[in-house]
Amino acid sequence: MEKFIPSAFIRSLSALFILVCQSTCARDYYFPPSALEGEHLSQQDINLSLFSNPKAQLPGRYASSIIINKRKIDETTLNYVSAADGSLEPQLTPKQLRQWQIRVEAFPALAALPENVPLQQPIGHFIPAASAVFDFTTLSLVMSIPQSAVNQQSRGFIDASRWDDGVPVLFSDYAFSGTEQHDAQHNSTTRQYLNLRNGLNLSGWRLRHASTWSNSDDDQSWQTLNTWVQHDIDLLRAQFTAGESSTRGEVFDSMQYKGVNLVSDDEMLPWSQRGFAPVIRGIANTNAEVSVRQNGYLIYQASVAPGAFEINDLYATTNSGDLEVTIKEADGSEHRFTQPYASVAVMQRPGHLKYEVTTGRYRADNGQEANEPLFFQGSAIYGLTNSLTLYGGSTLSPDYLALNSGVGLSLGQLGSLSADVTWARAHLDNSETHQGQSWRLLYSGNIDSTGTSFTLAGYRYSTQGYYNFTDANLHYDDDNTAWQYQYNKRNRIQASISQSLPGFSLYLNGYQQDYWGSDNKERSLSAGISRVFNGISMHLAYTYSKNSDSGSDQMLSCSFSIPLSQWLPGSWASYNVNNSRHGNTSHNIGLNGTLLDDDRLSYSLQQSRTNHDGADNNSIYTGYRSQYASLNAGYYSASDDSRQVSYGISGAIVAHPHGVTLSQPPGNQFAIITANGAEGIRFQNQRGIQTDWFGNAIIPSLTPYQENTLRVDTASLPVDVDTGETALVVIPSRNAAVSATIDAHIGYRALIALHQKNGQPVPFGAIASVESPAQSGIVDDAGMLYLPGLAETTRLTVRWGNNSDQQCVANLILAEQTSSTRNLTGIRQVDALCQREPVNEK
């Protein structure tokens, strides 16, 4: 019985507590202001009801992310008014709803309203079951719209109205490299190379001019690659190009022209509706110079460190056309191979039409003796069903006619296969007329069950009388002895295959070409296998190449890479052994890594030894990405007293509405960031890029027609810079230079303790404002206020009511603050007296 009484008492007390809670929770929560500041605050005319209503926010204009049915649609600024419950209600117009793919016409009451006049009722009044709620914490307008009221769009869809054509710019994108080589006999050789890509953007038009300059022992030459002007055709999801360019090469072989071209652009489509510059891999024994030629033009040249290299940022002049790669070693030896380059298997989604129309004058390859007639070429690819695509086209000129017809088949999970035949009749330069056919088979896809990826596998067979348009326009006479003049192509097979195995990855790239009337063949093969085990990566590679009029070249390489992060952050040791066709074997050991906080400095130290009386050598190679350009330099020396110095710089000079900015190579699409003159603002995942002394920066290599999020690295902001913006979203059109602004505050950052004349802190909720730069903040419950971007002398106006005794002014002199008043983040701590401003009596 004694134990029962306390237990009963506790149960009774718990029941009473629950009843009190239910009574309390049943009504709106109210927090008296006097509980924060004392009874004196209740005597003042302060309305803090906004802070006690969790739904309420101040009405006005807010930057908003538009999210419809859990999918982001747009970024815009909207006006909001207070609803009956205190929440913010958006002011939407029928025009905006149409832009967001809402079927306004399906609702007569909504369709009858003026296009640009805000709705007077919530959207649910016009569209049953629809709602729009503004999430103030994320600045997102979350809309729920019945599926029947929304035009169905594919995943990744971005309306064309959001594509940004950018601002007017004039720029020069350059890449300069050079070598100074001294051989064992003390002979010196100087080589230099400059690639220029100049551009002008104005009102949606893009003008580009590409040229190269090369210098070898005072033998200088300029080459113009192309000049063209381009504009988006949004309605057709296509690009219009006029000038010197090249065709896509999807149905017919790609060729250069001087004329006009209209071609559909798949990147304008959502990523879920989209159906290739190649990646070039090779091996360098020393600090080598890699040159890439296409159609006879030198389109790429750069210095690389010893070991395996990969080129994945190629600016190709066409979308197909084999690439001739030359690796020139520091000792003067050269290795050559051909990188096959062609479009993948032809497949399109049902109902999707892909097309290209070109008319103009044919441009022969550089250094090639050929006719350059006027021509017309058209091609179309149409998706008939989920598994069937039809395509074809024609090429016409005074002495040439070609017709193509083909079919693409979907093989489901196995990928896609296309087959076509081209019939051509050509009247050659030697007055002979030939006609024949060329059969082509292409395959691309992934075999998930085996982990095999076929980037491209293809086979072409041409009859003896078949000539493509390029070969048909060559000058044929008795003096021509080159292969392309004497023999026309017969068989060609090419493949690019990668295979994943448990713990391993393999790749194989190769092609073979033979000719009618000859037993000689052109061959190129590169293969490799890689594995990473406990952080240690191993790579075995083999390359082989043979031209039709020269001998073969081959090399075998085995390499290891061991991370050293525990002892030296961002570094690794490497070892590789190479065996060449001549039987020479070289061993190379090196130390590689990156330095500085954003890894913008890279380095490579190498020591090599070669058998069979070969020269031992050592080298150093370094690269640095600054905000103004990307730089690299290397030094090589050998035991036979030969040596080489290599150097390079690449970047751009961009003139834009906010000034002139030096930058790293900008790529095709880039962003111009303006930060109100704030210097030193960095960006995440952008090595070496920061705003210059004018507050501008260039963010390179954006993706066209898609959202690109540029994030500010807030952890590295300068002590005199602050910003509330951490991310910017831009959607550039093709070749656009878009502008984005960071609302940065420059000046002192201060934590201010505001006191009134009577010694009491300024009341909680008071609004403190600065006129220049215009900004404001709210005083907390201890009278503390944080403001960034303040000048050395700053005047604060503080208000917590409408009466004269509910306002005061504080004058801050931040320059006089000593280091003891600054914390580790550079924020100055200030005590300030806020007193009433004197009133001048008449």
Side-chain angles (χ1 to χ4, degrees), residues 294-580:
Q294 186 178 44
N295 298 323
Y297 291 96
L298 182 64
I299 64 171
Y300 184 95
Q301 183 170 296
S303 298
V304 299
F309 64 86
E310 181 178 286
I311 299 174
N312 55 15
D313 59 347
L314 199 64
Y315 283 121
T317 58
T318 70
N319 285 328
S320 67
D322 295 341
L323 305 177
E324 301 171 13
V325 183
T326 302
I327 305 171
K328 188 176 183 63
E329 303 286 357
D331 60 4
S333 62
E334 293 186 358
H335 310 285
R336 291 187 177 88
F337 64 91
T338 300
Q339 171 72 49
Y341 183 17
S343 56
V344 299
V346 181
M347 283 297 298
Q348 291 296 316
R349 293 173 176 267
H352 184 202
L353 176 65
K354 192 174 184 179
Y355 57 88
E356 181 174 18
V357 178
T358 308
T359 183
R361 185 173 294 278
Y362 168 67
R363 291 179 67 211
D365 292 351
N366 183 48
Q368 193 176 67
E369 294 292 330
N371 299 315
E372 295 186 333
L374 294 172
F375 77 97
F376 168 84
Q377 186 178 92
S379 63
I381 308 171
Y382 181 73
L384 194 62
T385 67
N386 284 330
S387 58
L388 182 63
T389 295
L390 302 179
Y391 61 95
S394 63
T395 302
L396 300 92
S397 77
D399 293 320
Y400 187 84
L401 171 64
L403 301 174
N404 175 280
S405 180
V407 59
L409 297 173
S410 174
L411 305 179
Q413 295 182 351
L414 297 180
S416 58
L417 180 73
S418 64
D420 62 76
V421 58
T422 302
W423 174 87
R425 182 179 65 220
H427 185 71
L428 304 182
D429 188 65
N430 58 7
S431 300
E432 296 180 359
T433 300
H434 297 268
Q435 67 179 29
Q437 302 86 40
S438 179
W439 301 83
R440 182 177 62 165
L441 190 67
L442 294 174
Y443 170 77
S444 63
N446 298 293
I447 303 177
D448 295 333
S449 59
T450 62
T452 305
S453 174
F454 291 87
T455 304
L456 175 68
Y459 173 77
R460 179 189 286 274
Y461 171 79
S462 302
T463 62
Q464 192 166 7
Y466 175 81
Y467 288 81
N468 63 22
F469 188 71
T470 300
D471 292 343
N473 283 291
L474 293 173
H475 285 307
Y476 289 86
D477 55 56
D478 294 336
D479 295 332
N480 290 322
T481 59
W483 280 87
Q484 63 266 33
Y485 294 93
Q486 296 294 324
Y487 309 102
N488 55 320
K489 298 169 184 176
R490 182 178 183 179
N491 290 289
R492 178 186 176 99
I493 185 170
Q494 64 187 90
S496 179
I497 306 169
S498 62
Q499 173 73 57
S500 296
L501 295 172
F504 292 90
S505 62
L506 298 89
Y507 70 87
L508 173 66
N509 300 314
Y511 96 105
Q512 177 175 291
Q513 171 79 57
D514 60 17
Y515 296 82
W516 286 100
S518 172
D519 294 332
N520 289 344
K521 295 179 173 61
E522 293 179 353
R523 291 191 180 119
S524 176
L525 176 68
S526 62
I529 180 172
S530 301
R531 184 180 184 186
V532 178
F533 180 75
N534 289 337
I536 301 175
S537 63
M538 296 163 280
H539 184 72
L540 179 65
Y542 172 78
T543 62
Y544 171 87
S545 64
K546 181 183 183 301
N547 295 326
S548 57
D549 52 359
S550 63
S552 62
D553 187 13
Q554 54 187 323
M555 183 180 294
L556 180 66
S557 170
C558 181
S559 62
F560 299 87
S561 177
I562 304 172
L564 303 176
S565 301
Q566 292 183 349
W567 302 277
L568 183 61
S571 66
W572 61 94
S574 64
Y575 169 78
N576 66 75
V577 54
N578 300 323
N579 183 266
S580 65

Side-chain angles (χ1 to χ4, degrees), residues 479-760:
D479 295 332
N480 290 322
T481 59
W483 280 87
Q484 63 266 33
Y485 294 93
Q486 296 294 324
Y487 309 102
N488 55 320
K489 298 169 184 176
R490 182 178 183 179
N491 290 289
R492 178 186 176 99
I493 185 170
Q494 64 187 90
S496 179
I497 306 169
S498 62
Q499 173 73 57
S500 296
L501 295 172
F504 292 90
S505 62
L506 298 89
Y507 70 87
L508 173 66
N509 300 314
Y511 96 105
Q512 177 175 291
Q513 171 79 57
D514 60 17
Y515 296 82
W516 286 100
S518 172
D519 294 332
N520 289 344
K521 295 179 173 61
E522 293 179 353
R523 291 191 180 119
S524 176
L525 176 68
S526 62
I529 180 172
S530 301
R531 184 180 184 186
V532 178
F533 180 75
N534 289 337
I536 301 175
S537 63
M538 296 163 280
H539 184 72
L540 179 65
Y542 172 78
T543 62
Y544 171 87
S545 64
K546 181 183 183 301
N547 295 326
S548 57
D549 52 359
S550 63
S552 62
D553 187 13
Q554 54 187 323
M555 183 180 294
L556 180 66
S557 170
C558 181
S559 62
F560 299 87
S561 177
I562 304 172
L564 303 176
S565 301
Q566 292 183 349
W567 302 277
L568 183 61
S571 66
W572 61 94
S574 64
Y575 169 78
N576 66 75
V577 54
N578 300 323
N579 183 266
S580 65
R581 178 173 63 93
H582 302 290
N584 293 335
T585 300
S586 63
H587 301 264
N588 181 289
I589 187 170
L591 175 65
N592 313 271
T594 58
L595 294 173
L596 305 181
D597 52 354
D598 59 354
D599 298 331
R600 61 184 179 274
L601 176 63
S602 61
Y603 63 89
S604 173
L605 306 174
Q606 307 286 334
Q607 177 70 46
S608 298
R609 180 176 180 82
T610 305
N611 65 352
H612 296 301
D613 298 326
D616 299 338
N617 63 77
N618 56 76
S619 63
I620 181 172
Y621 184 86
T622 183
Y624 180 75
R625 297 186 183 184
S626 77
Q627 66 187 92
Y628 308 114
S630 295
L631 304 97
N632 66 78
Y635 177 78
Y636 162 91
S637 64
S639 57
D640 62 358
D641 204 27
S642 63
R643 61 191 185 275
Q644 174 182 287
V645 176
S646 61
Y647 49 88
I649 180 173
S650 59
I653 305 173
V654 184
H656 50 86
H658 307 293
V660 177
T661 303
L662 302 178
S663 77
Q664 297 177 15
N668 290 327
Q669 301 79 218
F670 57 92
I672 303 167
I673 305 297
T674 304
N676 297 338
E679 180 183 358
I681 296 179
R682 295 185 182 181
F683 303 87
Q684 295 181 8
N685 303 319
Q686 300 291 339
R687 294 182 180 178
I689 295 178
Q690 60 181 0
T691 53
D692 59 16
W693 53 82
F694 298 110
N696 301 321
I698 303 296
I699 305 295
S701 303
L702 304 181
T703 303
Y705 312 110
Q706 297 295 310
E707 290 185 349
N708 296 259
T709 302
L710 315 176
R711 300 189 183 278
V712 176
D713 186 359
T714 55
S716 63
L717 284 175
V719 295
D720 61 344
V721 175
D722 200 2
T723 178
E725 291 182 287
T726 59
L728 304 170
V729 177
V730 294
I731 308 175
S733 58
R734 184 170 298 283
N735 297 312
V738 296
S739 179
T741 301
I742 297 175
D743 187 16
H745 305 287
I746 309 172
Y748 297 102
R749 291 185 283 176
L751 188 62
I752 308 163
L754 291 172
H755 299 278
Q756 300 181 74
K757 192 173 184 180
N758 59 8
Q760 295 294 322

